[in-house]
């Protein structure tokens, strides 16, 4: 039996708890799980005693259009989110339910003031429709809709 492995994006935020609410309300995130920092972890990370560590996030996970994304607070404080990394959500247009969900999400995001559409959803010439947009955290997302039964020439 072949082993299964996968790569999942893991994002760090200044306030992951707030980010989870944003993705839930704006992107329709589901399966949201958040583990706060425990007293033991706070002590091990030398979190100042005047900080409410229960509001900090040790680990979080959520799905957008069925894709898992992981997150936590940025405990080191030395790296910021940039748009040099883009999150691509690839949707199979042959699956009517997934296609409808992706189109609905895009229509909702196009109306959302905190989301900047940098490339409207349109045919790209390689058999896919593609859109690009940036969220309020500066993350650039790509939404690709294509038939998975056809070769991807993108």
């Amino acid at each position: 039996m072949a082993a299964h492995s996968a790569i999942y994006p893991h994002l760090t935020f200044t306030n992951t708890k707030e980010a989870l609410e944003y993705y839930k309300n704006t992107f329709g995130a589901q399966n949201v799980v958040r583990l706060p920092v425990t007293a033991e972890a706070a002590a091990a990370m030398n979190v100042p005693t005047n900080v409410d560590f229960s509001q900090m996030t040790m680990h979080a996970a959520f799905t957008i259009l069925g894709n898992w994304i992981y997150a936590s607070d940025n405990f080191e404080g030395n790296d910021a989110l940039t748009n040099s990394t883009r999150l691509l959500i690839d949707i199979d247009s042959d699956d009517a339910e997934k296609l409808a969900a992706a189109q609905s999400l895009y229509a909702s995001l196009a109306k959302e003031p905190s989301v900047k559409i940098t490339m409207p959803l349109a045919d790209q010439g390689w058999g896919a429709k593609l859109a690009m947009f940036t969220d309020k955290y500066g993350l650039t997302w790509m939404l690709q809709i294509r038939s998975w039964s056809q070769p991807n020439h993108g």
Side-chain angles (χ1 to χ4, degrees), residues 9-140:
H10 189 283
L11 309 173
T12 58
F13 297 94
T14 302
N15 185 336
T16 302
K17 187 175 180 182
E18 175 187 275
L20 292 172
E21 284 303 310
Y22 173 75
Y23 289 116
K24 201 161 67 174
N25 295 330
T26 306
F27 283 64
Q30 298 179 329
N31 305 306
V32 177
V33 176
R34 180 184 165 272
L35 302 175
V37 173
T38 63
E40 295 80 15
M45 293 186 296
N46 296 316
V47 173
T49 55
N50 64 338
V51 172
D52 183 2
F53 59 83
S54 69
Q55 297 303 305
M56 299 172 72
T57 302
M58 184 62 109
H59 174 74
F62 57 98
T63 59
I64 295 177
L65 295 176
N67 296 281
W68 283 100
I69 299 170
Y70 293 90
S72 66
D73 281 358
N74 180 355
F75 299 106
E76 292 82 31
N78 59 359
D79 55 347
L81 294 172
T82 70
N83 68 359
S84 64
T85 298
R86 298 177 178 172
L87 302 177
L88 171 69
I89 299 175
D90 191 27
I91 300 297
D92 183 3
S93 61
D94 297 331
D95 183 321
E97 188 176 321
K98 288 181 181 178
L99 174 62
Q103 290 171 328
S104 176
L105 175 61
Y106 177 77
S108 173
L109 293 174
K111 297 175 192 170
E112 169 59 42
S114 70
V115 174
K116 179 182 177 192
I117 303 294
T118 55
M119 186 170 78
L121 184 64
D123 288 323
Q124 297 302 313
W126 65 79
K129 287 185 176 185
L130 185 72
M132 289 179 53
F133 42 91
T134 304
D135 68 24
K136 80 173 195 175
Y137 296 102
L139 280 170
T140 299

